[in-house]
C-alpha cells in the first residue's frame, strides 16, 4: 500500500472546511455494525490509520469550495434548489464487497447501478447550473467507503491478514444527501466532517435551513 495523502485528489487548496456532498450511513445501518470488528483489527497496524466510525461515509461529490463560499449568492440559489432537485431521486441500496487493502486505503466498493448514476448526474448538473466554473471536480470512480487510510508505504499482507476473519459484505441505504464541511488531517490519517445540511431523497421539502438562514441575513 502507498500513502493516501500523496494522491493528487488529496491535494486541496486548503485542508479544512472543504465542502463535499456525502451519503452517510444511518446509525442503525448494518454497514456501521459490521465495520466495528474490522476497524478494531486494523488499529495496531503501523502505517494504517482507521477512520473513526462517526466519520465513515460514501463520497458523492467533492467541491473545490469552502464554508465561507456559502455566503455567495450562487450558493444561496443552489441551497434553495437542492430540495426540489433531490426529491426526484428514489431511495436505494448499495451492496458493498468486503473491505480490503486497496492501493492507498482499506476500502469496500459497490456497483453503483442506475440509481447511483442518476443521483451523481443530478448533483453534478445542479452544481454546474448554479456555481462558478472550477468548483466541480471529477466524481468518485465507484461507490466506496474507507475504513482506514495508509499514512506510510507498507506491505498489504498484515492488512489482509487482519481483515480476513473480520471483514464482511455490507449494505447501505442511501436515503439522503448531506452537505458537509470536511477537514483533512494527513498526519493522523483522518477525514472529519460537520454536517451543514441534509436533503432526503424522494420527498418534497420546504426550503433548506441554510438557505433560510442566509436569506435572513441578506
Amino acid at each position: 500500500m502507498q500513502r493516501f495523502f500523496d494522491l493528487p485528489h488529496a491535494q486541496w487548496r486548503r485542508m479544512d472546511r472543504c465542502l463535499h456532498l456525502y451519503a452517510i450511513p444511518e446509525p442503525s445501518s448494518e454497514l456501521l455494525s459490521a465495520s466495528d470488528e474490522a476497524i478494531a483489527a486494523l488499529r495496531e497496524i503501523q502505517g494504517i490509520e482507521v477512520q473513526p466510525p462517526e466519520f465513515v461515509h460514501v463520497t458523492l461529490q467533492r467541491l473545490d469550495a469552502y464554508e465561507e463560499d456559502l455566503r455567495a449568492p450562487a450558493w444561496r440559489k443552489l441551497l434553495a434548489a437542492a430540495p426540489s432537485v433531490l426529491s426526484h431521486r428514489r431511495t436505494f441500496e448499495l451492496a458493498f464487497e468486503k473491505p480490503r487493502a486497496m492501493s492507498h486505503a482499506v476500502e469496500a466498493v459497490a456497483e453503483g447501478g442506475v440509481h447511483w448514476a442518476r443521483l451523481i448526474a443530478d448533483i453534478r448538473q445542479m452544481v454546474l447550473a448554479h456555481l462558478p466554473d472550477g468548483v466541480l471536480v471529477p466524481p468518485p470512480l465507484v461507490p466506496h467507503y474507507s475504513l482506514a487510510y495508509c499514512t506510510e508505504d507498507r506491505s498489504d499482507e498484515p492488512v489482509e491478514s487482519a481483515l480476513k476473519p473480520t471483514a464482511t459484505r455490507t449494505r447501505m441505504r442511501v436515503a439522503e444527501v448531506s452537505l458537509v464541511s470536511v477537514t483533512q488531517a494527513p498526519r493522523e490519517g483522518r477525514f472529519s466532517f460537520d454536517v451543514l445540511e441534509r436533503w432526503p431523497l424522494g420527498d418534497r421539502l420546504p426550503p433548506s435551513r441554510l438557505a433560510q438562514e442566509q436569506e435572513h441575513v441578506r
Side-chain angles (χ1 to χ4, degrees):
M1 297 180 71
Q2 297 175 294
R3 189 172 184 271
F4 179 90
F5 298 91
D6 292 334
L7 286 168
H9 64 256
Q11 309 308 306
W12 303 349
R13 287 189 291 122
R14 211 178 73 207
M15 293 294 103
D16 66 316
R17 320 311 289 177
C18 183
L19 298 177
H20 290 58
L21 294 167
Y22 280 175
I24 300 173
E26 297 167 321
S28 60
S29 172
E30 71 172 57
L31 184 152
L32 292 180
S33 58
S35 298
D36 286 346
E37 280 192 71
I39 288 174
L42 294 168
R43 287 190 187 278
E44 303 307 317
I45 301 177
Q46 184 175 345
I48 299 295
E49 297 295 336
V50 300
Q51 184 80 342
E54 64 269 27
F55 296 134
V56 172
H57 62 274
V58 177
T59 299
L60 303 171
Q61 181 67 58
R62 180 176 72 84
L63 301 169
D64 188 12
Y66 297 83
E67 268 198 57
E68 62 268 24
D69 296 324
L70 291 169
R71 296 190 290 267
W75 267 100
R76 287 200 295 269
K77 292 178 181 178
L78 183 144
L79 292 168
S84 177
V85 170
L86 295 172
S87 73
H88 296 291
R89 289 290 146 238
R90 303 176 72 89
T91 296
F92 61 95
E93 278 198 340
L94 292 171
F96 290 95
E97 296 297 325
K98 295 179 181 180
R100 60 191 182 93
M102 305 292 273
S103 60
H104 295 79
V106 178
E107 298 177 354
V109 301
E111 290 189 14
V114 65
H115 293 298
W116 169 268
R118 287 173 177 169
L119 177 59
I120 299 302
D122 280 355
I123 287 171
R124 291 179 65 81
Q125 184 176 5
M126 179 175 68
V127 172
L128 287 170
H130 292 92
L131 300 182
D133 292 343
V135 170
L136 192 66
V137 303
L141 294 176
V142 294
H144 68 277
Y145 67 90
S146 299
L147 292 183
Y149 297 98
C150 183
T151 55
E152 59 183 71
D153 292 0
R154 60 153 307 109
S155 166
D156 295 359
E157 195 278 329
V159 178
E160 293 290 6
S161 295
L163 290 172
K164 189 172 183 179
T166 59
T168 62
R169 292 183 174 88
T170 55
R171 303 183 72 85
M172 173 181 154
R173 188 170 75 106
V174 179
E176 64 183 20
V177 172
S178 296
L179 174 66
V180 296
S181 169
V182 183
T183 294
Q184 181 183 155
R187 184 172 298 177
E188 293 80 9
R190 183 175 303 155
F191 291 90
S192 60
F193 61 85
D194 295 317
V195 177
L196 305 179
E197 188 63 88
R198 299 179 188 269
W199 297 299
L201 304 181
D203 297 309
R204 294 283 183 179
L205 296 176
S208 73
R209 174 179 57 82
L210 276 175
Q212 290 175 323
E213 289 176 357
Q214 292 178 10
E215 187 66 27
H216 179 71
V217 300
R218 288 180 64 182

